[in-house]
Amino acid sequence: MSALSVIWDRYTTGKTGDSPPPEFNLLRWFSLVSLVVIASVAIGLGVISTRFVLTESIERDAMLSAQFIQSIADAETRHVALPASMTMGELLDARQDAYHPQSMLAARQRARSEFLDHIALLPDALLANVYGADRVIVWSTNPSLVGKDLSGHDDLEQAFAHPRQVATSYDAVSGSRSEQKFLRAPRTLFIENYIPLLDDQGNVATVVEIYKEPRDLVSRIQRGFMLIWLASALGGGLIYLGLFWIVRRASLLLAQQQSQLIANETFVALGEMSSAVAHSLRNPLASIRSSAELAQEMVDPPVRKNITDIISQVDRMSKWVRELLISARPMSGEFEAVEPIAAIHEALHGFDQQIRHSGVRVEFRAEAAPAVISHRVLLAQVLNSLLANAIEAMPNGGLLRIEVTPDSSGKRLALAITDTGQGMSRKQETLAFKPYYTTKQGGLGVGLVMVKRIMERFGGQVSLTSREREGTRICLNFKVAGERG
């Protein structure tokens, strides 16, 4: 296989010796991975935040309850004029009355009774118990619990061991807790508070156990949960959408750059192939044409037709070589102002013979138009390629319409070339500007590629619309000279 064949196969079919690696879809993988990561972070933050709010709210409520009850205890002992050395913690266990002077019994009972009345009337209270130093319930809002021994209960032992309040929350009544005998069933979350009351030596004398159902607190906690989860969802969603938009833009940009890179590699290969074709065919074609022209003068008329066909085919191959060389070489030439009307007339003049031979009618109104940013030689190449395509699409005659329309801003100018030929299918239309793609038998598929490159070089654009059996319309959009911004 020749080097020329290798180059052609490689850049037209995309096949190499090794199978290509699977394509990595950046947008798809980012969408999945980032969704999992952001959702995990948002859920994690929501869980941590809700637990923090719940724990802090319960501890705050327990602390306030403890302070309130301890304040009541201090106030009641002062109210009945008991000695300063006597604390409410010592008064609550009625079993200890026998160890104190009988003269103070009435005052002790009064202070204890008033304190317990306050405890029984606490807002949101489900149950209140008072434990003596031996862990026996000495008083309760549920009389059936009085006398129960709860020795070994962890939270109760902790409350007696450390002079601080212990709070524990429960979601439901536990059957294993014998002291949870509520007079009414709780509706929502309830809280258990252990509040130690000290003696004059600073030791825990009794423990008050309060079960509360703080509905207002629960309502506030639930609203806090809703706000936390809503903020987590909205924050995570906004972060995801923002990153998705950025990565989508990056993915589209990478795809464009990859497409441009492939196109550049294709043009490099086209240049290599064009050089090989030019060196391999130009001289032999010139020799064949010269010999044919010489033979044409010497042979009989019946043979001249065959020689004329040879010359025609040689010219056709020479045209292919020129198109390859023009499309593959770097676009050269500085920006200059070109009169589009004059360029169109010059191009049409070059196709007079083909237009007459094909029976094509030309409709072109030569109206005044501003000069455009282009290059005279390259613009002529563009017009020649498009006119040739249009005329070849109408071998049995048709209408060739050329329209030049400046836009309302005066910064752009549109040049449309429309034919009434066979047109293209939707698939053919989308592939029209792909290198090496052609709908013409014997074509190379470089004409429209060359047109696009030239237009883009001078800041212009080219678009194509076509319908089968109705024709094709190609629109060139130029920058008006003096409007390069």
Side-chain angles (χ1 to χ4, degrees), residues 138-217:
V138 297
W139 178 88
S140 175
T141 54
N142 185 352
S144 64
L145 295 176
V146 176
K148 284 187 175 294
D149 187 351
L150 294 179
S151 300
H153 189 280
D154 292 340
D155 292 334
L156 182 60
E157 294 298 332
Q158 185 178 358
F160 272 102
H162 304 283
R164 60 185 180 88
Q165 125 275 349
V166 179
T168 306
S169 65
Y170 295 90
D171 292 326
V173 178
S174 174
S176 62
R177 301 288 299 275
S178 60
E179 78 280 11
Q180 291 185 4
K181 303 299 182 182
F182 303 139
L183 298 178
R184 64 175 178 86
R187 299 176 183 176
T188 57
L189 173 76
F190 64 90
I191 302 172
E192 180 185 19
N193 292 333
Y194 289 89
I195 303 168
L197 296 179
L198 310 180
D199 58 18
D200 61 339
Q201 302 297 322
N203 299 318
V204 179
T206 55
V207 170
V208 178
E209 180 186 31
I210 304 294
Y211 286 93
K212 294 177 60 180
E213 186 185 19
R215 297 179 184 177
D216 182 69
L217 176 63

Side-chain angles (χ1 to χ4, degrees), residues 97-291:
D97 288 345
Y99 301 100
H100 296 278
Q102 292 298 311
S103 60
M104 302 179 62
L105 179 61
R108 289 168 57 88
Q109 291 176 342
R110 178 184 174 189
R112 181 168 56 241
S113 176
E114 291 183 0
F115 175 79
L116 293 176
D117 283 343
H118 287 299
I119 298 300
L121 297 175
L122 283 175
D124 300 323
L126 296 171
L127 177 67
N129 299 322
V130 177
Y131 294 88
D134 56 357
R135 282 59 167 172
V136 173
I137 298 177
V138 297
W139 178 88
S140 175
T141 54
N142 185 352
S144 64
L145 295 176
V146 176
K148 284 187 175 294
D149 187 351
L150 294 179
S151 300
H153 189 280
D154 292 340
D155 292 334
L156 182 60
E157 294 298 332
Q158 185 178 358
F160 272 102
H162 304 283
R164 60 185 180 88
Q165 125 275 349
V166 179
T168 306
S169 65
Y170 295 90
D171 292 326
V173 178
S174 174
S176 62
R177 301 288 299 275
S178 60
E179 78 280 11
Q180 291 185 4
K181 303 299 182 182
F182 303 139
L183 298 178
R184 64 175 178 86
R187 299 176 183 176
T188 57
L189 173 76
F190 64 90
I191 302 172
E192 180 185 19
N193 292 333
Y194 289 89
I195 303 168
L197 296 179
L198 310 180
D199 58 18
D200 61 339
Q201 302 297 322
N203 299 318
V204 179
T206 55
V207 170
V208 178
E209 180 186 31
I210 304 294
Y211 286 93
K212 294 177 60 180
E213 186 185 19
R215 297 179 184 177
D216 182 69
L217 176 63
V218 171
S219 177
R220 292 176 183 272
I221 290 175
Q222 290 174 345
R223 289 199 299 270
F225 286 177
M226 291 179 60
L227 290 175
I228 288 171
W229 285 111
L230 182 61
S232 299
L234 289 178
L238 290 175
I239 292 173
Y240 176 77
L241 292 177
L243 293 177
F244 181 84
W245 179 79
I246 292 173
V247 173
R248 184 174 181 275
R249 289 286 303 272
S251 179
L252 293 176
L253 181 60
L254 287 174
Q256 292 175 355
Q257 292 176 344
Q258 184 180 19
S259 177
Q260 186 63 41
L261 180 61
I262 294 174
N264 291 340
E265 291 179 352
T266 302
F267 287 127
V268 170
L270 183 58
E272 296 175 359
M273 185 181 64
S274 300
S275 298
V277 169
H279 284 86
S280 301
L281 298 181
R282 178 171 287 179
N283 292 335
L285 288 175
S287 299
I288 292 172
R289 195 179 198 286
S290 299
S291 299

Side-chain angles (χ1 to χ4, degrees), residues 24 40 65 72 96 101 107 133 158 183 190 236 277 280 304 310 357-358 374 394 399 416-417 421 424 481:
F24 178 77
S40 300
S65 297
I72 293 176
Q96 303 297 321
Q158 185 178 358
L183 298 178
F190 64 90
V277 169
S280 301
R304 288 180 184 175
I310 293 174
H357 183 268
S358 301
S374 187
M394 299 181 290
L399 175 63
I417 298 177
M424 304 180 186

Side-chain angles (χ1 to χ4, degrees), residues 1 4 9 39 58 64 81 84 93 106 118 135 173 182 191 218 229 259-260 314-315 335 404 427 478-480:
M1 183 181 291
L4 180 60
D9 288 342
I58 291 175
L64 293 175
D93 191 349
H118 287 299
R135 282 59 167 172
V173 178
F182 303 139
I191 302 172
V218 171
W229 285 111
S259 177
Q260 186 63 41
V314 168
D315 289 340
F335 294 94
V404 178
K427 180 179 179 181
F478 296 90
K479 285 185 176 181
V480 173

Side-chain angles (χ1 to χ4, degrees), residues 277-278 281-289 310-326 444:
V277 169
L281 298 181
R282 178 171 287 179
N283 292 335
L285 288 175
S287 299
I288 292 172
R289 195 179 198 286
I310 293 174
I311 294 175
S312 175
Q313 293 302 318
V314 168
D315 289 340
R316 183 181 182 188
M317 295 180 70
S318 297
K319 179 184 176 183
W320 288 355
V321 172
R322 286 195 302 273
E323 286 184 351
L324 284 172
L325 290 173
I326 291 173
L444 293 178

